[in-house]
Amino acid sequence: MRKKIITGNWKMNYTVNEAEAFITSILESINTTEIDVVICPNFTALDRLSNLLDNKNVKLGAQNVSYETKGAYTGETSVDMLYALDVEYCIVGHSERRQILNETNEIVNLKAKKLLAKGINPIICVGETLTERNENKLYDVISNQVKNGLKDISSEDVKTKVVMAYEPIWAIGTGVTATTEQAEDMCKYIRNIVCEIYSESVANNLRIQYGGSVNPKNANEILNMENIDGALVGGASLTNDFVAIVNYQ
Ligand code: 13P
């Protein structure tokens, strides 16, 4: 039985003080240990939130990391820096970074491996554009992203630490959610690819999230699909809706 994981990706929202105020307002309402709840604030709020979330049920995540170890990389953040703040998860390969900041599958893979070497769980995002879906290229696109994203990552790491997130780009921030059938179909497809590359046992243990306009109304249906093990929530994670999503059952 895979433990569900619900992640709030705050993107470039909330200053450190706003982050503290918001997390303080919802923290007591999130008291489940049956699912993993992760918040990924902006880097500038990680330190403050690390203190606030100490010994709480909400885990800390980051939105990005450098694939370099340390040194002259202005503006970058290393895995050691995340580790020092007790960051347990880190999103890599979000479509906004792939599209706006030209992050390639190779870069995503380097970042995931860097995180795993330090024991931080990567949340590897994959997803197709609407054009790719309409042109029936989505299976090739997703297969490519999954295979290259996981390149040279051990079966043990995929089984126990990696989280995959299927986020169709056309459903992000648009209010358009993939149908539960579309989301389930793609998460199942990702699991089958992992089964091919690794084994059935690895595939059966891998957690796969769906992301794209998840809200309190659609969370229950999405999270009850066989191959969907959680949600990567953007806009709705900035409000009390996040609590409702966490309490979807
Ligand atoms: P929305 O929930 O705002 O569509 O964003 C999804 C997302 O990109 C999470 O990483």
Side-chain angles (χ1 to χ4, degrees), residues 2-51:
R2 297 181 294 267
K3 190 176 187 187
K4 292 264 194 280
I5 172 164
I6 298 181
T7 307
N9 175 10
W10 285 359
K11 307 189 180 183
M12 199 169 73
N13 293 290
Y14 288 157
T15 63
V16 59
N17 286 343
E18 288 165 350
E20 174 169 356
F22 177 60
I23 203 75
T24 307
S25 75
I26 63 166
L27 205 49
E28 295 312 316
S29 311
I30 300 178
N31 43 28
T32 175
T33 51
E34 277 169 32
I35 56 176
D36 287 330
V37 181
V38 184
I39 290 288
C40 303
N42 177 268
F43 282 126
T44 59
L46 280 175
D47 191 17
R48 185 89 60 90
L49 259 59
S50 180
N51 291 321

Side-chain angles (χ1 to χ4, degrees), residues 9 11 94 167 171-173 212-214 232-235:
N9 175 10
K11 307 189 180 183
H94 192 281
E167 295 205 307
I172 295 177
S213 300
V214 175
L232 183 50
V233 187

Side-chain angles (χ1 to χ4, degrees), residues 36-185:
D36 287 330
V37 181
V38 184
I39 290 288
C40 303
N42 177 268
F43 282 126
T44 59
L46 280 175
D47 191 17
R48 185 89 60 90
L49 259 59
S50 180
N51 291 321
L52 288 164
L53 299 180
D54 198 25
N55 290 321
K56 301 286 183 196
N57 291 327
V58 178
K59 298 171 197 301
L60 190 60
Q63 297 176 17
N64 185 32
V65 68
S66 172
Y67 58 81
E68 298 290 355
T69 305
K70 65 184 287 191
Y73 301 99
T74 303
E76 291 294 281
T77 304
S78 72
V79 281
D80 285 353
M81 292 166 182
L82 298 184
Y83 184 82
L85 293 175
D86 298 324
V87 167
E88 291 182 59
Y89 290 85
C90 181
I91 298 169
V92 290
H94 192 281
S95 61
E96 285 150 16
R97 297 199 63 84
R98 289 182 190 260
Q99 292 201 309
I100 305 166
L101 297 150
N102 298 324
E103 241 175 54
T104 62
N105 283 327
E106 289 65 38
I107 292 175
V108 172
N109 176 249
L110 286 174
K111 290 182 175 184
K113 287 190 287 199
K114 202 79 190 171
L115 290 163
L116 288 164
K118 199 74 192 176
I120 299 174
N121 309 293
I123 300 177
I124 304 177
C125 304
V126 298
E128 81 286 357
T129 62
L130 191 54
T131 310
E132 287 162 346
R133 176 170 276 265
N134 288 340
E135 291 177 353
N136 224 6
K137 291 184 186 147
L138 81 159
Y139 293 104
D140 285 347
V141 169
I142 299 298
S143 164
N144 202 19
Q145 289 177 348
V146 172
K147 285 180 180 160
N148 287 307
L150 292 176
K151 198 161 176 275
D152 300 327
I153 295 180
S154 74
S155 50
E156 192 53 29
D157 276 343
V158 177
K159 197 171 179 174
T160 59
K161 299 202 78 68
V162 170
V163 176
M164 298 287 311
Y166 170 62
E167 295 205 307
I169 295 168
W170 45 273
I172 295 177
T174 57
V176 179
T177 322
T179 64
T180 35
E181 289 72 26
Q182 287 171 326
E184 164 67 13
D185 178 51

